[in-house]
Amino acid sequence: MNEEQRTALVTGASRGIGAACARRLARDGFNVAINYRSDSSRQAAEELREELERDCGVRAVCVRGDVAGFESAKDMVAAAVEQLGRLDVLVNNAGITQDGLLMRMSEEQFERVVDTNLGGTFNCMRHAVPIMCKQRYGRIVNISSVVGERGNAGQANYAASKAGIIGLTLATAKEIGGRGVTVNAVAPGFIETDMTAALDEKAVAALTGHISLKRLGAVDDVAAAVAFLASDDASYITGQVLGVDGGISL
Ligand code: NAP
């Protein structure tokens, strides 16, 4: 890699795990492109941008775009590169849930989750990979889930999307390793964010009982794993799935 300042694009970075990844990468010295989708996320994204520039002394920009759209993802990746000059790290974090039992799941409910989580990861990789291959350097970190490895009742759509991300990660790691681009996945367990805020106290207590470390994870636990895989310390690691789950998968 040359001496220019490294640049990272984090999808779905206005809050939760994505915002923690953006903060951590900025602390590690990356210029950061913060992707957000909705009007309601614009202000949070803008506040995060100001915080990173002020507290970490890096350049940060906001890039709006829906990762589920092929063209929208293309424009978003292009906007990040145009504003920051290069793209070294892509963190595919944007994701949604729309839970329900398979027997009652609508086609739309299945497709929406798969199109956002798996389709969105493909779309962003599809547009970032040629740039990374051309510069012969890149780090892609895809956010999967323990649910993609082990399943979870009521989340067939989400589990399928997150399992698909693992296959996408492994196949692409084989394709582009020779170009100096690594592709890895992080599989979080249950992390305290808006996504898991709907769980009531009883559900959290029951869940915690299955976690070896006896607590839900924090967003910074995931961000630390992402930052490691994005760093030069991980330059000989590709095609791996790193669990950040407190031992729930044991
Ligand atoms: P969150 O708090 O719900 O945040 C999700 C983020 O993704 C939001 O910023 C959201 O922005 C964005 N997003 C959703 N759809 C998008 C789209 N089509 N295009 C661009 N951005 C989009 O979720 P989180 O808990 O931080 O989860 C982040 C990732 O970690 C997800 O992939 C999730 O599946 C995964 N994960 C989470 C857990 C957990 O326990 N929390 C566990 C395992 C894996 P808008 O609000 O603007 O849509």
PDB file of all heavy atoms in Angstrom, residues 199-220:
ATOM      1  N   LEU A 199     -35.942  -6.939  22.432  1.00  0.00           N
ATOM      2  CA  LEU A 199     -35.974  -8.114  23.330  1.00  0.00           C
ATOM      3  C   LEU A 199     -36.352  -7.669  24.738  1.00  0.00           C
ATOM      4  O   LEU A 199     -35.776  -6.719  25.269  1.00  0.00           O
ATOM      5  CB  LEU A 199     -34.597  -8.783  23.373  1.00  0.00           C
ATOM      6  CG  LEU A 199     -34.087  -9.414  22.075  1.00  0.00           C
ATOM      7  CD1 LEU A 199     -32.621  -9.830  22.241  1.00  0.00           C
ATOM      8  CD2 LEU A 199     -34.936 -10.611  21.706  1.00  0.00           C
ATOM      9  N   ASP A 200     -37.341  -8.360  25.354  1.00  0.00           N
ATOM     10  CA  ASP A 200     -37.692  -7.964  26.726  1.00  0.00           C
ATOM     11  C   ASP A 200     -36.706  -8.601  27.723  1.00  0.00           C
ATOM     12  O   ASP A 200     -35.866  -9.423  27.364  1.00  0.00           O
ATOM     13  CB  ASP A 200     -39.148  -8.319  27.054  1.00  0.00           C
ATOM     14  CG  ASP A 200     -39.400  -9.812  26.950  1.00  0.00           C
ATOM     15  OD1 ASP A 200     -38.461 -10.582  27.176  1.00  0.00           O
ATOM     16  OD2 ASP A 200     -40.527 -10.202  26.609  1.00  0.00           O
ATOM     17  N   GLU A 201     -36.855  -8.181  28.994  1.00  0.00           N
ATOM     18  CA  GLU A 201     -35.894  -8.601  30.036  1.00  0.00           C
ATOM     19  C   GLU A 201     -35.794 -10.117  30.156  1.00  0.00           C
ATOM     20  O   GLU A 201     -34.704 -10.678  30.315  1.00  0.00           O
ATOM     21  CB  GLU A 201     -36.353  -8.036  31.383  1.00  0.00           C
ATOM     22  CG  GLU A 201     -35.373  -7.049  31.987  1.00  0.00           C
ATOM     23  CD  GLU A 201     -35.937  -6.433  33.237  1.00  0.00           C
ATOM     24  OE1 GLU A 201     -36.063  -7.156  34.235  1.00  0.00           O
ATOM     25  OE2 GLU A 201     -36.281  -5.223  33.206  1.00  0.00           O
ATOM     26  N   LYS A 202     -36.970 -10.771  30.031  1.00  0.00           N
ATOM     27  CA  LYS A 202     -36.998 -12.233  30.172  1.00  0.00           C
ATOM     28  C   LYS A 202     -36.208 -12.892  29.044  1.00  0.00           C
ATOM     29  O   LYS A 202     -35.431 -13.822  29.260  1.00  0.00           O
ATOM     30  CB  LYS A 202     -38.458 -12.715  30.118  1.00  0.00           C
ATOM     31  CG  LYS A 202     -38.892 -13.429  31.385  1.00  0.00           C
ATOM     32  CD  LYS A 202     -40.357 -13.731  31.357  1.00  0.00           C
ATOM     33  CE  LYS A 202     -40.591 -15.199  31.082  1.00  0.00           C
ATOM     34  NZ  LYS A 202     -42.036 -15.515  30.978  1.00  0.00           N
ATOM     35  N   ALA A 203     -36.399 -12.356  27.834  1.00  0.00           N
ATOM     36  CA  ALA A 203     -35.698 -12.925  26.671  1.00  0.00           C
ATOM     37  C   ALA A 203     -34.185 -12.708  26.807  1.00  0.00           C
ATOM     38  O   ALA A 203     -33.392 -13.600  26.506  1.00  0.00           O
ATOM     39  CB  ALA A 203     -36.213 -12.278  25.383  1.00  0.00           C
ATOM     40  N   VAL A 204     -33.801 -11.511  27.301  1.00  0.00           N
ATOM     41  CA  VAL A 204     -32.369 -11.220  27.471  1.00  0.00           C
ATOM     42  C   VAL A 204     -31.771 -12.158  28.518  1.00  0.00           C
ATOM     43  O   VAL A 204     -30.682 -12.724  28.325  1.00  0.00           O
ATOM     44  CB  VAL A 204     -32.140  -9.745  27.872  1.00  0.00           C
ATOM     45  CG1 VAL A 204     -30.689  -9.490  28.260  1.00  0.00           C
ATOM     46  CG2 VAL A 204     -32.543  -8.817  26.728  1.00  0.00           C
ATOM     47  N   ALA A 205     -32.507 -12.380  29.631  1.00  0.00           N
ATOM     48  CA  ALA A 205     -32.009 -13.269  30.694  1.00  0.00           C
ATOM     49  C   ALA A 205     -31.851 -14.686  30.141  1.00  0.00           C
ATOM     50  O   ALA A 205     -30.841 -15.355  30.412  1.00  0.00           O
ATOM     51  CB  ALA A 205     -32.963 -13.241  31.875  1.00  0.00           C
ATOM     52  N   ALA A 206     -32.830 -15.133  29.350  1.00  0.00           N
ATOM     53  CA  ALA A 206     -32.760 -16.490  28.793  1.00  0.00           C
ATOM     54  C   ALA A 206     -31.564 -16.609  27.851  1.00  0.00           C
ATOM     55  O   ALA A 206     -30.820 -17.592  27.886  1.00  0.00           O
ATOM     56  CB  ALA A 206     -34.061 -16.810  28.064  1.00  0.00           C
ATOM     57  N   LEU A 207     -31.390 -15.578  27.035  1.00  0.00           N
ATOM     58  CA  LEU A 207     -30.277 -15.573  26.071  1.00  0.00           C
ATOM     59  C   LEU A 207     -28.937 -15.593  26.777  1.00  0.00           C
ATOM     60  O   LEU A 207     -28.034 -16.361  26.429  1.00  0.00           O
ATOM     61  CB  LEU A 207     -30.333 -14.259  25.283  1.00  0.00           C
ATOM     62  CG  LEU A 207     -30.793 -14.299  23.851  1.00  0.00           C
ATOM     63  CD1 LEU A 207     -30.891 -12.883  23.325  1.00  0.00           C
ATOM     64  CD2 LEU A 207     -29.806 -15.118  23.041  1.00  0.00           C
ATOM     65  N   THR A 208     -28.834 -14.724  27.793  1.00  0.00           N
ATOM     66  CA  THR A 208     -27.575 -14.580  28.515  1.00  0.00           C
ATOM     67  C   THR A 208     -27.141 -15.920  29.114  1.00  0.00           C
ATOM     68  O   THR A 208     -25.958 -16.233  29.189  1.00  0.00           O
ATOM     69  CB  THR A 208     -27.710 -13.497  29.603  1.00  0.00           C
ATOM     70  OG1 THR A 208     -28.220 -12.323  28.979  1.00  0.00           O
ATOM     71  CG2 THR A 208     -26.371 -13.160  30.233  1.00  0.00           C
ATOM     72  N   GLY A 209     -28.126 -16.714  29.514  1.00  0.00           N
ATOM     73  CA  GLY A 209     -27.830 -18.031  30.062  1.00  0.00           C
ATOM     74  C   GLY A 209     -27.069 -18.918  29.089  1.00  0.00           C
ATOM     75  O   GLY A 209     -26.326 -19.811  29.501  1.00  0.00           O
ATOM     76  N   HIS A 210     -27.248 -18.681  27.792  1.00  0.00           N
ATOM     77  CA  HIS A 210     -26.564 -19.509  26.786  1.00  0.00           C
ATOM     78  C   HIS A 210     -25.217 -18.926  26.360  1.00  0.00           C
ATOM     79  O   HIS A 210     -24.519 -19.511  25.539  1.00  0.00           O
ATOM     80  CB  HIS A 210     -27.439 -19.638  25.529  1.00  0.00           C
ATOM     81  CG  HIS A 210     -28.710 -20.383  25.782  1.00  0.00           C
ATOM     82  ND1 HIS A 210     -28.751 -21.738  26.005  1.00  0.00           N
ATOM     83  CD2 HIS A 210     -29.993 -19.955  25.879  1.00  0.00           C
ATOM     84  CE1 HIS A 210     -30.004 -22.109  26.219  1.00  0.00           C
ATOM     85  NE2 HIS A 210     -30.776 -21.042  26.144  1.00  0.00           N
ATOM     86  N   ILE A 211     -24.890 -17.742  26.866  1.00  0.00           N
ATOM     87  CA  ILE A 211     -23.642 -17.094  26.454  1.00  0.00           C
ATOM     88  C   ILE A 211     -22.559 -17.390  27.499  1.00  0.00           C
ATOM     89  O   ILE A 211     -22.755 -17.100  28.682  1.00  0.00           O
ATOM     90  CB  ILE A 211     -23.849 -15.558  26.309  1.00  0.00           C
ATOM     91  CG1 ILE A 211     -24.945 -15.270  25.276  1.00  0.00           C
ATOM     92  CG2 ILE A 211     -22.543 -14.869  25.926  1.00  0.00           C
ATOM     93  CD1 ILE A 211     -25.363 -13.811  25.190  1.00  0.00           C
ATOM     94  N   SER A 212     -21.441 -17.961  27.045  1.00  0.00           N
ATOM     95  CA  SER A 212     -20.386 -18.348  28.002  1.00  0.00           C
ATOM     96  C   SER A 212     -19.942 -17.165  28.846  1.00  0.00           C
ATOM     97  O   SER A 212     -19.681 -17.308  30.041  1.00  0.00           O
ATOM     98  CB  SER A 212     -19.174 -18.894  27.263  1.00  0.00           C
ATOM     99  OG  SER A 212     -19.561 -19.950  26.442  1.00  0.00           O
ATOM    100  N   LEU A 213     -19.820 -15.990  28.220  1.00  0.00           N
ATOM    101  CA  LEU A 213     -19.324 -14.822  28.961  1.00  0.00           C
ATOM    102  C   LEU A 213     -20.425 -14.098  29.740  1.00  0.00           C
ATOM    103  O   LEU A 213     -20.189 -13.055  30.363  1.00  0.00           O
ATOM    104  CB  LEU A 213     -18.610 -13.854  28.002  1.00  0.00           C
ATOM    105  CG  LEU A 213     -17.345 -14.429  27.358  1.00  0.00           C
ATOM    106  CD1 LEU A 213     -16.709 -13.435  26.386  1.00  0.00           C
ATOM    107  CD2 LEU A 213     -16.316 -14.827  28.415  1.00  0.00           C
ATOM    108  N   LYS A 214     -21.654 -14.631  29.681  1.00  0.00           N
ATOM    109  CA  LYS A 214     -22.788 -14.167  30.507  1.00  0.00           C
ATOM    110  C   LYS A 214     -23.129 -12.696  30.345  1.00  0.00           C
ATOM    111  O   LYS A 214     -23.496 -12.013  31.305  1.00  0.00           O
ATOM    112  CB  LYS A 214     -22.538 -14.471  32.012  1.00  0.00           C
ATOM    113  CG  LYS A 214     -22.323 -15.941  32.284  1.00  0.00           C
ATOM    114  CD  LYS A 214     -23.541 -16.769  31.917  1.00  0.00           C
ATOM    115  CE  LYS A 214     -23.272 -18.269  31.990  1.00  0.00           C
ATOM    116  NZ  LYS A 214     -24.142 -19.047  31.111  1.00  0.00           N
ATOM    117  N   ARG A 215     -22.980 -12.183  29.149  1.00  0.00           N
ATOM    118  CA  ARG A 215     -23.443 -10.822  28.849  1.00  0.00           C
ATOM    119  C   ARG A 215     -23.681 -10.704  27.347  1.00  0.00           C
ATOM    120  O   ARG A 215     -23.069 -11.446  26.567  1.00  0.00           O
ATOM    121  CB  ARG A 215     -22.437  -9.767  29.308  1.00  0.00           C
ATOM    122  CG  ARG A 215     -21.098  -9.799  28.564  1.00  0.00           C
ATOM    123  CD  ARG A 215     -20.246  -8.569  28.875  1.00  0.00           C
ATOM    124  NE  ARG A 215     -18.937  -8.621  28.264  1.00  0.00           N
ATOM    125  CZ  ARG A 215     -18.634  -8.139  27.041  1.00  0.00           C
ATOM    126  NH1 ARG A 215     -19.573  -7.585  26.283  1.00  0.00           N
ATOM    127  NH2 ARG A 215     -17.410  -8.216  26.560  1.00  0.00           N
ATOM    128  N   LEU A 216     -24.558  -9.764  26.970  1.00  0.00           N
ATOM    129  CA  LEU A 216     -24.661  -9.441  25.549  1.00  0.00           C
ATOM    130  C   LEU A 216     -23.389  -8.709  25.142  1.00  0.00           C
ATOM    131  O   LEU A 216     -22.694  -8.144  25.987  1.00  0.00           O
ATOM    132  CB  LEU A 216     -25.871  -8.530  25.272  1.00  0.00           C
ATOM    133  CG  LEU A 216     -27.278  -9.078  25.576  1.00  0.00           C
ATOM    134  CD1 LEU A 216     -28.329  -8.211  24.882  1.00  0.00           C
ATOM    135  CD2 LEU A 216     -27.458 -10.521  25.140  1.00  0.00           C
ATOM    136  N   GLY A 217     -23.098  -8.693  23.860  1.00  0.00           N
ATOM    137  CA  GLY A 217     -21.906  -7.998  23.387  1.00  0.00           C
ATOM    138  C   GLY A 217     -22.159  -6.503  23.248  1.00  0.00           C
ATOM    139  O   GLY A 217     -23.303  -6.044  23.196  1.00  0.00           O
ATOM    140  N   ALA A 218     -21.075  -5.748  23.186  1.00  0.00           N
ATOM    141  CA  ALA A 218     -21.153  -4.304  22.938  1.00  0.00           C
ATOM    142  C   ALA A 218     -20.696  -4.038  21.504  1.00  0.00           C
ATOM    143  O   ALA A 218     -19.930  -4.837  20.938  1.00  0.00           O
ATOM    144  CB  ALA A 218     -20.249  -3.569  23.929  1.00  0.00           C
ATOM    145  N   VAL A 219     -21.152  -2.926  20.958  1.00  0.00           N
ATOM    146  CA  VAL A 219     -20.787  -2.607  19.569  1.00  0.00           C
ATOM    147  C   VAL A 219     -19.263  -2.523  19.405  1.00  0.00           C
ATOM    148  O   VAL A 219     -18.728  -2.903  18.357  1.00  0.00           O
ATOM    149  CB  VAL A 219     -21.467  -1.299  19.079  1.00  0.00           C
ATOM    150  CG1 VAL A 219     -22.962  -1.509  18.912  1.00  0.00           C
ATOM    151  CG2 VAL A 219     -21.166  -0.122  19.996  1.00  0.00           C
ATOM    152  N   ASP A 220     -18.580  -2.063  20.447  1.00  0.00           N
ATOM    153  CA  ASP A 220     -17.117  -1.937  20.346  1.00  0.00           C
ATOM    154  C   ASP A 220     -16.423  -3.308  20.269  1.00  0.00           C
ATOM    155  O   ASP A 220     -15.307  -3.407  19.764  1.00  0.00           O
ATOM    156  CB  ASP A 220     -16.560  -1.127  21.534  1.00  0.00           C
ATOM    157  CG  ASP A 220     -16.933   0.347  21.417  1.00  0.00           C
ATOM    158  OD1 ASP A 220     -17.316   0.790  20.313  1.00  0.00           O
ATOM    159  OD2 ASP A 220     -16.854   1.063  22.434  1.00  0.00           O
TER     160      ASP A 220
END
